[in-house]
Amino acid sequence: MLSITSVVKGQINPERPLKAWATNAPRPADERTAVNTRADPLGGGGAATRGKAATIYDVAQAAGVSHQTVSRFLRGFEGIRPETRERVVQALEDLGYRPNLTARSLKSGRSHRIGALTHEISLVGPSRIVEGASIAAREAGYVLDIVSLDSSNPRAIEDSLALITQHDLAGVLALAVTDEMTRAFAATAFRVPAYVAAESEGVPADPRGILSRVGLPMLVAHLAELGHRRFVHIAGPSMWSAARNRVRDYEAALHSRGLQSVGILHGDWSAASGYRAISELAQVPDATAFLAANDQMALGAMLALKERGFRIPADVSVVGVDDIAEAAFFDPPLTTLRNDFEGQGRAAVFQLLARIGNTEVAPMSVPAPLLVIRRSSGPAPQR
Amino acid sequence: MLSITSVVKGQINPERPLKAWATNAPRPADERTAVNTRADPLGGGGAATRGKAATIYDVAQAAGVSHQTVSRFLRGFEGIRPETRERVVQALEDLGYRPNLTARSLKSGRSHRIGALTHEISLVGPSRIVEGASIAAREAGYVLDIVSLDSSNPRAIEDSLALITQHDLAGVLALAVTDEMTRAFAATAFRVPAYVAAESEGVPADPRGILSRVGLPMLVAHLAELGHRRFVHIAGPSMWSAARNRVRDYEAALHSRGLQSVGILHGDWSAASGYRAISELAQVPDATAFLAANDQMALGAMLALKERGFRIPADVSVVGVDDIAEAAFFDPPLTTLRNDFEGQGRAAVFQLLARIGNTEVAPMSVPAPLLVIRRSSGPAPQR
DNA sequence: ACAACCGATGTTATCGACAACATCCTAGAT
DNA sequence: ATCTAGGATGTTGTCGATAACATCGGTTGT
């Protein structure tokens, strides 16, 4: 258990003035480069930093202009005389001005926060999605307000939505979605754009957009080419649309090749559930290929199969989905489908920003799924 | 790749009025229970919900009182005549009022957001810490503004800190900390309480507070009792204080038993680095026990050792730290030390809240580390 | 040469909530 | 019956920023 070391931050003098006022404003080109140049030996900034935060009024007074002129400068307005501009810049730096985003968004009605509701962020998938989203948001000048649902608390969704609707956000995102969350989301009246990032279940405009639609056939093809004919799927929890999609696309892929599914087992994404799915069976299905809906369940399933005396891949092949970082070091290393979680998070943020009206975001290109062949899959045994 | 399904939220009538206005205010006792009672058949609220959000002025007008009376009610002021109170409650519900937290914090100078700066949230540890923090924050009525550092971007820390300092936050947290981050954090002048949640390196008041201080001796004792005498440590990146602590406590634990470390290898927390640490060695050290600083590196090391012909645990024992969910399903299942990541996150939030002045938080009890013995450790081979 | 005009800047109102102070009304004291 | 204390409520100012409008000095057109 880590202990918590506190760093009490008084108004310590900022060694490196952050020049945060320049962050979101269209700034003169030469500003960008010179962040570390001001080596102020404890003077100047000290006085200003000590008390309360400087406002545009303070800056205005220091520069001998009106607060509005300061505001104009900050917002990138062009028509300011060079000498005036000079004085404002100077005052800004001297006082170490930082915009008060609260006041800004109160007046402008715009905020730079995105609410992100997510399930089980401690799972690998969701956490990577959140990371991608967080980084994309930061790059666009937003921060992500993360509300992670505690699945042990039945009222969590309600509470979280109540929390989210109060804060004023630029938009709301649902990441890593279960049906429950989708429903609660749809029933809530947000006053801002809201998006649910989920594997769509209908017929999507761009089928590349669904990992399982394109990826599962690749997995099945790989196994079929190795001679496998009898398959078992270890599915995720059916309240996750991602889990349902994988079941559907698994069956479709088999069907289109005239192969058969020997059975579908159910897990909850965890390695433990993959292990139980196999080990609790009275008898292991007569299949040669096991396709788990994610790598963790594949890991658990592999252990259970080995304990039952199956050799992998000599007797049975096991494949997963996601290509988590550890999959290459399972024993045997796992054949799987690479899933670009970070990309999903980015894409979700970009989609939301586009709807928010931020036109500067580039449309996301959807990376194609990638089949990663390792040693957990091999030729089907001859009977 | 998931596709993103948008749910365009207009001002749909809220099926279940969230009564969010009651969330943070000391409310009359009977309010708590009656959330779903108002079955308003599309009347009343409709008009108000359609346009912009209702303000206390709108509510005041609807109730025929002054906005201040509404404000008083919301803040739990007692001296309001029952009939007036009644009208206010009615108007509040009819309009589906939600407080504008932006305006509130502008005036009150207080916010209910906590900024959390974290590294590599996609690692298992950090993501679980963040989850614990997020849940604890939500329970206390705060949300976590997560800023995840993109390690590929050298200016990420600066950018992130600039971003954080602008937003108005109740406090700032650094989770899963590297030295770089600690330094940048210390050099920044926040205007609010800031805490760095890290394994402390000095002599802590409560030694139970450090996982490795208590836990590594347990691991070493376990292995020593099995007859192991020659140990190798696979360390984390040295810029993480957690990694340094583990090295230090590993050495101390060996020393106190008169045992010797045959070597310290270095990884980066990933399974790949654990694999490389062993596989790239010209010759595997003559040791019987390998102690990795986390489970992922243990996984990689196990694979490399097996590939080099070592049997686990017959020839060598391998143990990890953290007890991630998958560790029980490695082959062999990994002996490790349970690490309460979520608890760390909670603790960090509680500590911060305490400093913020929120007196309602209970002090955290620090769970003792737990040795989890599985099959990757066994009796040392007889030479 | 006078007015319309324009760029640069200042003044005032505004966002939504909270807070200080002002006011009104009623009940108890004299 | 009049005064007063005090509870209940209304009015105005404030937080820090943005927006609309006003103003000032100097051009430019005719």
Side-chain angles (χ1 to χ4, degrees):
Chain A
M1 169 86 219
L2 300 182
S3 80
I4 309 303
T5 306
S6 71
V7 176
V8 179
K9 312 292 310 183
Q11 271 61 35
I12 295 171
N13 70 311
E15 302 239 329
R16 181 191 348 96
L18 283 173
K19 220 180 223 185
W21 49 266
T23 301
N24 279 323
R27 48 196 153 175
D30 62 315
E31 293 291 349
R32 284 184 172 271
T33 48
V35 171
N36 284 330
T37 51
R38 202 176 69 97
D40 185 322
L42 234 92
T49 343
R50 199 174 306 128
K52 308 207 62 135
T55 73
I56 55 170
Y57 292 90
D58 302 327
V59 174
Q61 186 168 15
V65 299
S66 82
H67 67 102
Q68 188 56 248
T69 300
V70 177
S71 175
R72 287 196 185 95
F73 172 81
L74 292 173
R75 311 204 48 254
F77 179 69
E78 297 292 328
I80 300 179
R81 260 186 311 181
E83 59 184 77
T84 308
R85 175 183 297 267
E86 184 89 11
R87 296 214 308 280
V88 172
V89 171
Q90 193 59 47
L92 242 17
E93 298 228 350
D94 287 350
L95 299 180
Y97 172 79
R98 311 266 176 78
N100 178 326
L101 293 197
T102 301
R104 178 176 293 175
S105 50
L106 173 58
K107 175 57 183 173
S108 65
R110 254 173 274 121
S111 100
H112 280 87
R113 292 192 169 88
I114 294 172
L117 194 61
T118 172
H119 248 303
E120 313 285 341
I121 198 188
S122 58
L123 291 176
V124 174
S127 76
R128 289 175 55 194
I129 293 175
V130 167
E131 170 157 45
S134 172
I135 290 177
R138 179 165 54 63
E139 283 169 357
Y142 289 76
V143 300
L144 224 50
D145 276 10
I146 304 229
V147 180
S148 175
L149 293 176
D150 178 359
S151 41
S152 66
N153 174 1
R155 292 204 30 193
I157 292 188
E158 254 182 49
D159 289 355
S160 302
L161 286 172
L163 200 62
I164 279 189
T165 50
Q166 290 181 63
H167 288 250
D168 97 327
L169 302 168
V172 180
L173 225 44
L175 300 171
V177 168
T178 61
D179 293 345
E180 199 184 357
M181 203 157 109
T182 308
R183 222 177 301 118
F185 223 67
T188 306
F190 299 108
R191 292 192 284 261
V192 292
Y195 299 89
V196 177
E199 291 195 355
S200 64
E201 296 188 74
V203 179
D206 179 3
R208 288 184 313 146
I210 301 189
L211 171 74
S212 65
R213 180 71 62 97
V214 182
L216 283 197
M218 292 167 69
L219 271 179
V220 168
H222 166 65
L223 293 165
E225 282 162 17
L226 289 168
H228 294 274
R229 294 295 174 263
R230 295 183 311 286
F231 293 73
V232 165
H233 180 51
I234 304 172
S238 56
M239 48 178 313
W240 290 66
S241 62
R244 285 196 303 270
N245 286 336
R246 287 168 197 192
V247 171
R248 181 198 60 201
D249 295 328
Y250 158 78
E251 289 179 328
L254 289 187
H255 186 75
S256 74
R257 295 184 163 261
L259 302 173
Q260 53 181 310
S261 173
V262 176
I264 294 185
L265 307 175
H266 287 275
D268 63 9
W269 298 130
S270 74
S273 72
Y275 179 83
R276 282 196 308 268
I278 299 291
S279 66
E280 290 179 356
L281 250 30
Q283 185 182 350
V284 177
D286 177 31
T288 61
F290 290 78
L291 197 162
N294 76 349
D295 292 346
Q296 284 90 339
M297 293 194 295
L299 174 66
M302 287 203 297
L303 183 63
L305 287 166
K306 285 183 280 192
E307 288 182 357
R308 290 219 167 192
F310 293 92
R311 292 164 302 160
I312 303 170
D315 299 320
V316 296
S317 289
V318 177
V319 302
V321 172
D322 285 351
D323 193 25
I324 64 174
E326 287 75 29
F329 304 93
F330 291 172
D331 186 12
L334 189 68
T335 291
T336 185
L337 214 47
R338 182 158 302 162
N339 193 351
D340 181 13
F341 290 114
E342 287 82 2
Q344 290 168 37
R346 299 182 75 82
V349 167
F350 286 171
Q351 292 281 348
L352 182 61
L353 289 180
R355 304 296 176 110
I356 287 172
N358 189 328
T359 52
E360 291 176 25
V361 294
M364 277 296 289
S365 61
V366 182
L370 182 65
L371 177 65
V372 181
I373 299 175
R374 301 204 182 91
R375 301 204 298 271
S376 71
S377 57
Q382 313 294 336
R383 277 239 264 202
Chain B
M1 170 85 218
L2 301 183
S3 81
I4 309 303
T5 307
S6 69
V7 177
V8 179
K9 310 292 307 183
Q11 271 60 35
I12 296 172
N13 71 310
E15 301 239 330
R16 184 198 339 102
L18 283 171
K19 223 179 215 184
W21 47 267
T23 302
N24 279 324
R27 47 194 153 176
D30 62 316
E31 294 292 348
R32 283 184 175 274
T33 49
V35 171
N36 286 330
T37 49
R38 201 178 67 98
D40 185 320
L42 235 90
T49 342
R50 198 175 307 133
K52 308 206 61 134
T55 72
I56 55 169
Y57 291 89
D58 302 327
V59 174
Q61 185 170 15
V65 299
S66 82
H67 66 101
Q68 188 55 247
T69 301
V70 177
S71 176
R72 287 194 185 96
F73 172 81
L74 292 174
R75 312 204 50 254
F77 180 70
E78 297 291 327
I80 299 179
R81 260 185 312 182
E83 59 184 74
T84 308
R85 175 184 298 269
E86 183 89 12
R87 296 214 309 279
V88 173
V89 171
Q90 192 59 47
L92 241 17
E93 298 229 350
D94 287 350
L95 298 180
Y97 172 80
R98 313 266 176 77
N100 179 327
L101 294 196
T102 302
R104 178 175 293 175
S105 52
L106 172 59
K107 174 59 183 176
S108 65
R110 254 174 275 120
S111 99
H112 280 88
R113 292 193 169 85
I114 294 173
L117 194 61
T118 173
H119 249 301
E120 314 284 341
I121 198 188
S122 58
L123 291 176
V124 174
S127 76
R128 289 175 55 193
I129 293 175
V130 167
E131 170 157 45
S134 171
I135 290 177
R138 179 166 54 63
E139 283 169 358
Y142 290 75
V143 300
L144 222 52
D145 275 7
I146 303 225
V147 180
S148 174
L149 293 176
D150 179 0
S151 43
S152 65
N153 175 2
R155 293 203 30 194
I157 292 189
E158 256 181 46
D159 289 354
S160 302
L161 286 172
L163 199 62
I164 278 189
T165 51
Q166 291 181 59
H167 288 248
D168 98 325
L169 302 167
V172 180
L173 225 44
L175 301 171
V177 168
T178 61
D179 293 345
E180 199 185 356
M181 203 156 109
T182 308
R183 223 177 300 120
F185 223 67
T188 306
F190 298 107
R191 293 192 283 262
V192 292
Y195 299 89
V196 177
E199 292 195 356
S200 64
E201 297 188 73
V203 179
D206 179 3
R208 288 183 313 145
I210 300 190
L211 170 75
S212 65
R213 180 71 61 98
V214 182
L216 283 197
M218 292 167 69
L219 271 180
V220 168
H222 166 66
L223 291 166
E225 282 161 17
L226 288 169
H228 294 275
R229 293 294 172 265
R230 295 183 311 286
F231 293 72
V232 166
H233 181 50
I234 304 172
S238 56
M239 46 178 313
W240 289 66
S241 63
R244 285 196 303 270
N245 286 336
R246 287 168 197 191
V247 170
R248 180 198 61 202
D249 294 329
Y250 158 78
E251 289 178 328
L254 289 187
H255 186 76
S256 74
R257 295 184 163 260
L259 301 173
Q260 52 181 310
S261 173
V262 175
I264 294 185
L265 308 175
H266 288 276
D268 63 9
W269 298 130
S270 73
S273 72
Y275 179 83
R276 281 195 307 267
I278 300 292
S279 66
E280 290 179 356
L281 251 32
Q283 185 181 349
V284 177
D286 178 31
T288 62
F290 290 79
L291 197 161
N294 76 350
D295 292 345
Q296 285 90 337
M297 292 194 294
L299 173 67
M302 287 204 296
L303 183 63
L305 286 166
K306 285 183 281 191
E307 288 181 358
R308 289 216 167 196
F310 292 92
R311 291 165 303 160
I312 304 171
D315 299 322
V316 296
S317 288
V318 176
V319 302
V321 173
D322 284 350
D323 193 25
I324 64 174
E326 288 75 29
F329 303 93
F330 291 173
D331 185 13
L334 189 69
T335 292
T336 184
L337 214 48
R338 182 158 302 164
N339 192 352
D340 181 14
F341 289 114
E342 286 82 3
Q344 290 168 36
R346 300 182 73 83
V349 167
F350 286 172
Q351 292 280 348
L352 182 61
L353 289 180
R355 305 296 177 107
I356 287 171
N358 188 329
T359 53
E360 292 176 23
V361 294
M364 278 297 290
S365 61
V366 182
L370 181 66
L371 178 65
V372 182
I373 299 175
R374 301 205 182 92
R375 301 203 300 271
S376 70
S377 58
Q382 314 292 337
R383 279 240 263 202

